[in-house]
Amino acid sequence: MKSSRSVSCSAPLKGDAMTDLDDFIGPSQECIKPVKVEKRAGSGVAKIRIEDDGSYFQINQDGGTRRLEKAKVSLNDCLACSGCITSAETVLITQQSHEELKKVLDANKMAAPSQQRLVVVSVSPQSRASLAARFQLNPTDTARKLTSFFKKIGVHFVFDTAFSRHFSLLESQREFVRRFRGQADCRQALPLLASACPGWICYAEKTHGSFILPHISTARSPQQVMGSLVKDFFAQQQHLTPDKIYHVTVMPCYDKKLEASRPDFFNQEHQTRDVDCVLTTGEVFRLLEEEGVSLPDLEPAPLDSLCSGASAEEPSSHRGGGSGGYLEHVFRHAARELFGIHVAEVTYKPLRNKDFQEVTLEKEGQVLLHFAMAYGFRNIQNLVQRLKRGRCPYHYVEVMACPSGCLNGGGQLQAPDRPSRELLQHVERLYGMVRAEAPEDAPGVRELYTHWLQGTDSECAGRLLHTQYHAVEKASTGLGIRW
Amino acid sequence: MKDSLVLLGRVPAHPDSRCWFLAWNPAGTLLASCGGDRRIRIWGTEGDSWICKSVLSEGHQRTVRKVAWSPCGNYLASASFDATTCIWKKNQDDFECVTTLEGHENEVKSVAWAPSGNLLATCSRDKSVWVWEVDEEDEYECVSVLNSHTQDVKHVVWHPSQELLASASYDDTVKLYREEEDDWVCCATLEGHESTVWSLAFDPSGQRLASCSDDRTVRIWRQYLPGNEQGEVHYLSCRGGMQRLLTQWKCICTLSGFHSRTIYDIACLTGALATACGDDAIRVFQEDPNSDPQQPTFSLTAHLHQAHSQDVNCVAWNPKEPGLLASCSDDGEVAFWKYQRPEGL
């Protein structure tokens, strides 16, 4: 998905796109988003008059006038539509930035205690690894110094999305086993496709709609599980309503900003988003620069934890690569649950390129499980086309929009003085240094299922740990053709 | 000069519509045409006339913009504004659509087969160039999606013998692509045109690339390999200061002042090139026999005004019969011409 995604070439957004807006077309010019207007029957043909101040008035046949609403395009409408060339999206996304965080922190300083918001930052392991590489620190020191930095500027709590990822992985594992067992009853049960990557989700919703969506896992991504954890569980613990918390996440890509602004992750009751602002790794770097802070020079602070009692000494992670380890966890769990087979090491077999690899579980010559990972647009294309033709041999596919996965996301730090491949390998090494934990055994997870969610298959768990997808109608741009 | 290009015949290939493009099959016996009527027609000779041997009509929902024959001559690919590319298999006079390639977000502008016959390239208004691979079972898979251009990509063409791909764009540049490790990368950008580059053609030897543009010029580019005698040396500076010796393409000739409108297409023979122009004319240029190969000069040897009654969209030299040229136009017609090399050249 190009990278500069999401619409014009269906690619994940890259940092470079932000600085080069030569092809910027004002949303008004090519926008085909219809504005919803109250329609009254009758009236026939109307004339429109433009006032000197630029406002529009409709003149009815009887001479009466009615001021017309300005067409407003929300961030999500714009991002989800294929109607115009996409730089407009890029502009809208820049509005969710570190400037926004600074504004909130400044407002907090001036506000009366009852008006202040509790500021929580959740850092992804991938962003942390990228910063570690840049500052030549190990992951633990990076985590602690980042905590120190954020608290210095007024943030109250700093969490690690590796914790919320336990839930994403557990839900994915369970969902797969359920669907595998229910294959006979449902033709669309398999393959099951991973759902953590918003670049992939947006592409699937826009391009393949109702055909592909039933195959996508409903498990929320770690970012959005953290949204639930912070705005529901943690808010209750802190005796605050969710709108009193300002939740920021630090992510390796721009598409996570799109994910955070999905209506499905907006809490209607309290009129607040589960994740208020997403900063890319690059934006955090800029924030450090603007605050004049040298991360390595900071005193490390103790790490915060969402589960009381367990104050972690060091961050934890998951096995199975830098994009969360979905394939690996679902595979090993399925092998155990469905076939009673314990898989120690998962062996990957590269196919046509390094971003497309498969894994099989065989017993006595029979293939029991056939999984794959497909990263990058060209591999996603092939996967989807095969699915369309009914020729997809896989039970589960870990789909990620970025070649080489999340560690290579469009919001990660670049190093002008290093070949990008070498930098990526360094980031991968740092990421892999963090101790891996099995989600089933992670402290605090089981307790949260019991006390917060009231059980593993409860209505609560369904509501807070799962989501849904919406096919986007393709807009026809018959009038906008340029040969 | 008029005598050097003689009309052999016309056919109303796409009546009440535009004829967008033509392609001769490798044997030179058939001509495929495509147009705004969403159809592809296959033309062959019967005695002295050209007759329509097949009509491929159920393939596309919108204009068919380009067609291309596979090197073996058994397949025809068609690129359409309906965002798909069809692959047709020839079975004597019948063509069957065996696959439809999807993936581009909007109008596909061009399609081209690599000389090996295993790779196909497509390009689109979505600014991307796609490389596809075909296996023994006629299954096509996307091998790479290249997003180097910043605007609509108008044309793609393969080098006659190397696995080197060239693309032309509304962003005024020509780009070249090569396979590197497990992906395709843009290895050169040719800048110089001042407006949309509409078409490209390699000369039969593959040493030169000709481009034509909305800026009313034709440019000839030459490839300089590392260690060439001309001492042309070019580096690519990557992140990390690593430098790589690159083959570089240099513009060795610009033909300007000859065309009064946009040049929509160009076709190359050894030492000669034909152009299709928005002023309804066809022109042929011949390389001057004594000009320096590093700085060639060309003379206009044929200028046929009103070759068609509207814009000429395509010109194509027959690969087997020297001097046989086909052209097509917005007027829906296909014309056949005989080019006589003028005396003394």
Side-chain angles (χ1 to χ4, degrees):
Chain A
M1 311 206 204
K2 170 190 202 156
S3 180
S4 267
R5 191 228 189 310
S6 321
V7 162
S8 79
C9 279
S10 302
L13 290 160
K14 270 247 190 280
D16 309 51
M18 313 302 264
T19 52
D20 185 346
L21 296 177
D22 285 342
D23 62 334
F24 175 56
I25 289 174
S28 56
Q29 217 174 304
E30 295 252 357
C31 182
I32 51 96
K33 174 92 185 66
V35 74
K36 287 203 179 89
V37 168
E38 294 291 328
K39 271 225 137 153
R40 275 164 291 169
S43 51
V45 178
K47 282 197 192 148
I48 296 185
R49 182 182 72 220
I50 307 173
E51 299 291 283
D52 288 333
D53 67 359
S55 53
Y56 290 73
F57 279 86
Q58 175 177 301
I59 305 168
N60 302 322
Q61 279 179 332
D62 63 3
T65 61
R66 184 163 73 87
R67 193 199 186 98
L68 294 173
E69 291 167 45
K70 240 193 229 161
K72 278 191 211 122
V73 180
S74 71
L75 173 65
N76 245 54
D77 285 338
C78 191
L79 295 169
C81 169
S82 302
C84 78
I85 316 285
T86 195
S87 304
E89 282 183 335
T90 314
V91 170
L92 287 173
I93 276 185
T94 54
Q95 290 170 354
Q96 227 193 86
S97 70
H98 64 287
E99 298 298 332
E100 280 302 306
L101 172 60
K102 281 212 256 191
K103 273 190 211 155
V104 171
L105 292 170
D106 287 340
N108 257 7
K109 285 194 197 117
M110 313 296 247
S114 61
Q115 299 304 311
Q116 285 174 7
R117 286 199 279 184
L118 190 74
V119 184
V120 174
V121 173
S122 302
V123 183
S124 71
Q126 293 88 350
S127 295
R128 186 181 55 223
S130 178
L131 286 158
R134 185 67 167 79
F135 292 111
Q136 315 270 39
L137 296 167
N138 66 52
T140 302
D141 284 342
T142 309
R144 289 163 167 260
K145 288 174 192 255
L146 270 174
T147 302
S148 188
F149 168 66
F150 282 121
K151 294 196 171 177
K152 203 161 123 69
I153 61 173
V155 171
H156 300 99
F157 291 92
V158 182
F159 298 130
D160 183 349
T161 63
F163 182 73
S164 52
R165 195 161 65 187
H166 293 311
F167 296 86
S168 301
L169 290 166
L170 288 168
E171 293 302 308
S172 303
Q173 289 173 186
R174 257 180 232 129
E175 187 183 6
F176 178 77
V177 166
R178 202 168 45 235
R179 287 171 75 132
F180 190 92
R181 288 189 171 132
Q183 273 181 88
D185 305 323
C186 176
R187 260 184 327 134
Q188 291 169 319
L190 299 181
L192 181 63
L193 309 174
S195 55
C197 174
W200 153 236
I201 300 300
C202 278
Y203 172 70
E205 286 182 323
K206 250 187 266 199
T207 315
H208 300 286
S210 45
F211 167 76
I212 270 266
L213 299 181
H215 288 279
I216 303 185
S217 164
T218 56
R220 286 194 187 197
S221 69
Q223 167 170 283
Q224 298 306 142
V225 170
M226 191 54 106
S228 292
L229 275 166
V230 167
K231 295 275 185 134
D232 191 276
F233 169 71
F234 189 64
Q236 284 168 35
Q237 270 208 331
Q238 298 287 314
H239 308 293
L240 291 169
T241 52
D243 55 306
K244 284 294 202 218
I245 300 184
Y246 187 74
H247 184 204
V248 181
T249 62
V250 180
M251 290 287 149
C253 70
Y254 291 88
D255 282 346
K256 283 289 175 186
K257 296 182 191 244
L258 307 191
E259 186 179 55
S261 66
R262 285 172 75 88
D264 307 90
F265 301 134
F266 183 78
N267 181 325
Q268 287 291 348
E269 193 194 331
H270 293 104
Q271 290 291 299
T272 185
R273 297 220 286 243
D274 290 346
V275 175
D276 296 286
C277 178
V278 177
L279 299 184
T280 62
T281 320
E283 285 165 342
V284 168
F285 183 78
R286 235 172 311 195
L287 188 62
L288 282 161
E289 282 191 325
E290 283 175 20
E291 295 293 307
V293 170
S294 160
L295 195 68
D297 294 341
L298 289 178
E299 276 301 307
L303 302 177
D304 289 330
S305 170
L306 267 167
C307 37
S308 50
S311 170
E313 289 295 316
E314 51 174 18
S316 71
S317 187
H318 297 102
R319 48 189 288 174
S323 304
Y326 293 89
L327 184 157
E328 194 139 322
H329 285 77
V330 174
F331 186 78
R332 294 179 77 235
H333 177 79
R336 204 168 48 236
E337 278 297 303
L338 298 167
F339 306 105
I341 297 174
H342 168 71
V343 176
E345 278 303 313
V346 177
T347 314
Y348 294 82
K349 183 177 128 198
L351 299 171
R352 73 169 41 252
N353 56 68
K354 61 171 161 47
D355 282 326
F356 191 29
Q357 307 202 17
E358 54 178 37
V359 168
T360 36
L361 182 74
E362 282 180 57
K363 191 175 175 187
E364 286 146 24
Q366 278 259 43
V367 171
L368 301 173
L369 292 174
H370 197 185
F371 283 25
M373 51 162 270
Y375 293 0
F377 188 54
R378 56 182 173 159
N379 293 313
I380 293 177
Q381 270 305 298
N382 291 327
L383 172 71
V384 168
Q385 291 301 326
R386 272 201 232 176
L387 236 170
K388 267 195 171 175
R389 282 156 222 241
R391 306 185 63 166
C392 176
Y394 306 113
H395 298 114
Y396 182 85
V397 185
E398 178 178 307
V399 184
M400 297 291 157
C402 295
S404 302
C406 303
L407 290 172
N408 196 33
Q412 294 283 67
L413 301 177
Q414 313 277 10
D417 55 336
R418 279 175 94 170
S420 47
R421 187 154 34 131
E422 195 196 290
L423 174 62
L424 178 61
Q425 282 170 352
H426 186 194
V427 174
E428 283 170 349
R429 257 195 325 272
L430 285 164
Y431 181 90
M433 268 174 73
V434 180
R435 168 184 65 93
E437 231 175 8
E440 292 87 344
D441 305 331
V445 174
R446 226 169 289 197
E447 291 86 334
L448 279 164
Y449 268 106
T450 311
H451 297 119
W452 172 45
L453 299 167
Q454 278 101 55
T456 53
D457 284 303
S458 65
E459 182 269 333
C460 252
R463 190 170 36 89
L464 294 164
L465 302 180
H466 288 262
T467 185
Q468 46 188 356
Y469 308 107
H470 316 279
V472 174
E473 281 305 308
K474 254 211 179 112
S476 68
T477 52
L479 297 175
I481 292 173
R482 289 185 309 185
W483 307 108
Chain B
M1 228 193 268
K2 216 162 124 181
D3 295 346
S4 36
L5 199 61
V6 171
L7 178 68
L8 298 175
R10 280 184 206 277
V11 288
H14 298 270
D16 302 321
S17 187
R18 285 181 231 252
C19 182
W20 275 117
F21 203 72
L22 300 170
W24 291 100
N25 67 345
T29 54
L30 297 172
L31 182 72
S33 71
C34 62
D37 60 0
R38 311 190 308 275
R39 285 168 174 70
I40 300 161
R41 287 190 169 80
I42 313 292
W43 304 88
T45 45
E46 204 156 275
D48 281 335
S49 16
W50 287 86
I51 56 141
C52 179
K53 307 198 89 182
S54 320
V55 182
L56 282 51
S57 49
E58 297 300 312
H60 291 292
Q61 316 282 329
R62 288 180 60 194
T63 291
V64 185
R65 184 64 178 85
K66 297 236 167 77
V67 279
W69 293 89
S70 64
C72 63
N74 295 325
Y75 296 87
L76 186 70
S78 57
S80 168
F81 285 172
D82 67 8
T84 71
T85 304
C86 277
I87 310 293
W88 306 83
K89 187 162 184 179
K90 180 178 186 298
N91 188 0
Q92 288 171 349
D93 283 346
D94 278 319
F95 286 77
E96 188 201 337
C97 177
V98 292
T99 304
T100 302
L101 305 181
E102 294 176 357
H104 278 296
E105 282 193 44
N106 46 48
E107 295 86 3
V108 187
K109 299 297 180 86
S110 186
V111 60
W113 297 84
S116 64
N118 293 334
L119 296 176
L120 194 73
T122 56
C123 66
S124 162
R125 178 167 70 85
D126 68 12
K127 308 178 197 169
S128 67
V129 171
W130 291 41
V131 181
W132 307 79
E133 192 170 63
V134 53
D135 66 22
E136 311 81 41
E137 284 132 44
D138 281 353
E139 288 289 319
Y140 289 76
E141 284 221 325
C142 170
V143 159
S144 192
V145 175
L146 296 148
N147 292 288
S148 309
H149 279 295
T150 56
Q151 295 287 357
D152 184 356
V153 190
K154 302 290 192 186
H155 197 72
V156 278
V157 72
W158 290 91
H159 188 280
S161 51
Q162 296 169 31
E163 242 155 45
L164 176 70
L165 179 66
S167 64
S169 166
Y170 180 64
D171 69 10
D172 308 350
T173 70
V174 171
K175 286 183 184 271
L176 293 155
Y177 312 87
R178 270 216 136 90
E179 193 172 13
E180 228 164 81
E181 286 176 16
D182 68 357
D183 204 356
W184 284 74
V185 296
C186 174
C187 59
T189 299
L190 312 189
E191 288 169 324
H193 278 297
E194 291 164 11
S195 188
T196 303
V197 187
W198 278 98
S199 192
L200 298 165
F202 279 98
D203 83 322
S205 72
Q207 280 195 318
R208 290 176 181 173
L209 177 63
S211 59
C212 66
S213 164
D214 177 62
D215 69 6
R216 295 172 275 145
T217 70
V218 166
R219 281 172 193 259
I220 315 284
W221 311 81
R222 194 198 144 105
Q223 186 180 26
Y224 288 93
L225 299 162
N228 62 81
E229 321 99 42
Q230 288 72 33
E232 294 281 345
V233 163
H234 298 271
Y235 295 92
L236 174 69
S237 196
C238 331
R239 293 209 188 105
M242 258 164 39
Q243 295 187 317
R244 248 168 51 220
L245 270 177
L246 274 189
T247 59
Q248 184 61 6
W249 290 76
K250 206 177 121 181
C251 181
I252 57 172
C253 174
T254 302
L255 300 177
S256 56
F258 294 100
H259 299 80
S260 62
R261 293 272 165 86
T262 306
I263 312 170
Y264 289 115
D265 196 25
I266 186 158
C268 290
L269 276 186
T270 307
L273 45 93
T275 60
C277 187
D279 63 6
D280 311 349
I282 294 172
R283 293 167 178 78
V284 182
F285 297 83
Q286 199 92 39
E287 187 172 350
D288 297 326
N290 300 318
S291 68
D292 173 7
Q294 311 302 331
Q295 286 182 287
T297 57
F298 286 76
S299 299
L300 180 66
T301 53
H303 181 176
L304 205 88
H305 300 267
Q306 294 298 300
H308 289 275
S309 58
Q310 291 181 54
D311 289 3
V312 188
N313 292 324
C314 178
V315 277
W317 293 107
N318 184 296
K320 295 295 186 209
E321 195 180 319
L324 176 59
L325 183 74
S327 65
C328 72
S329 163
D330 275 358
D331 66 13
E333 293 193 333
V334 170
F336 297 90
W337 312 86
K338 182 74 184 167
Y339 171 68
Q340 307 274 26
R341 202 176 280 237
E343 301 294 308
L345 278 171

